[in-house]
Amino acid sequence: MESFKNIEQSQVTISELMLPSHTNFSGKIHGGYILSLMDQIAFACASKHSGNYCVTASVDTVDFLRPIEVGELVEMKASVNFVGRTSMVVGIRVESEDIHSGIIKHCNSSYFTMVAKDKNGDSVPVPGLILKNEKQMRRFLKSLNRQEMKKKHRAASSAKHEINNEDLEILKNSHKVQLKY
């Protein structure tokens, strides 16, 4: 019998105070550090949902919307938005709070595709999702749409593209390139 879980059963939230050791050369919190935390929470959320070890298969669109400062409290919220046969899309929202003023800013949102693995490293089926409201249905459908777009993109990227005169004109006139061939 196939199992299903409520989205709330696998949601994870983490908070961490940003320290000077987390900064980049401009004194802001390093984006790579934030990505590492996002990968950790995606792993926790997906593993909690699947009951198995999970690996990151892909990361979709990471837009750093606002810088994070030293001394701010970063909160990350992760939720399974979509499940396939062995994969899950985990949505992550990153917010930071200035603990002196209480001002909260949305810094990042991203989607991690995670795959459940058994002890031998083979992919294993994951439980389905119980969708209880319009917001959950919308997130599931948006993730399904992103998955379909990724499949189309992979297919288009793997097809050989022959350069024609129209392509050459686009390169010469529309982009900051020099053609030397």
Side-chain angles (χ1 to χ4, degrees):
M1 184 172 128
E2 192 171 13
S3 65
F4 290 82
K5 286 187 173 180
N6 290 312
I7 289 173
E8 296 82 8
Q9 289 177 270
S10 55
Q11 288 178 323
V12 177
T13 301
I14 61 170
S15 297
E16 186 170 329
L17 184 65
M18 294 295 105
L19 304 173
S21 62
H22 302 142
T23 60
N24 59 23
F25 293 109
S26 67
K28 307 297 182 191
I29 300 304
H30 195 284
Y33 183 71
I34 297 300
L35 279 172
S36 175
L37 291 176
M38 292 172 76
D39 192 49
Q40 290 174 40
I41 195 171
F43 167 83
C45 183
S47 294
K48 195 172 175 184
H49 180 80
S50 69
N52 289 283
Y53 178 79
C54 293
V55 296
T56 306
S58 70
V59 180
D60 291 349
T61 312
V62 179
D63 292 323
F64 294 96
L65 305 173
R66 292 177 184 81
I68 300 171
E69 307 290 339
V70 171
E72 290 183 337
L73 184 64
V74 167
E75 183 175 77
M76 295 187 184
K77 299 174 185 176
S79 180
V80 175
N81 291 350
F82 173 85
V83 294
R85 193 178 73 74
T86 62
S87 67
M88 298 148 281
V89 173
V90 176
I92 302 169
R93 181 177 175 92
V94 179
E95 294 178 340
S96 69
E97 178 180 359
D98 180 320
I99 56 178
H100 298 294
S101 69
I103 295 173
I104 296 172
K105 59 186 176 185
H106 176 211
C107 300
N108 189 316
S109 289
S110 190
Y111 305 95
F112 281 57
T113 301
M114 308 297 289
V115 177
K117 300 287 186 173
D118 65 15
K119 292 176 183 167
N120 299 320
D122 296 320
S123 298
V124 294
V126 298
L129 281 179
I130 298 169
L131 304 176
K132 297 190 296 188
N133 57 48
E134 190 174 321
K135 182 178 182 180
Q136 292 174 350
M137 287 185 268
R138 188 173 49 252
R139 286 180 174 171
F140 188 95
L141 291 170
K142 281 184 173 184
S143 292
L144 177 62
N145 186 47
R146 275 192 305 277
Q147 297 292 92
E148 293 299 319
M149 296 291 284
K150 279 172 39 176
K151 285 180 188 174
K152 288 178 184 176
H153 177 73
R154 277 194 298 268
S157 294
S158 64
K160 186 171 179 166
H161 181 82
E162 298 294 330
I163 296 175
N164 59 38
N165 287 337
E166 184 180 336
D167 292 330
L168 289 173
E169 286 303 311
I170 290 170
L171 289 172
K172 288 178 187 176
N173 299 322
S174 301
H175 296 280
K176 194 173 183 176
V177 298
Q178 287 184 346
L179 301 178
K180 294 186 178 184
Y181 72 101

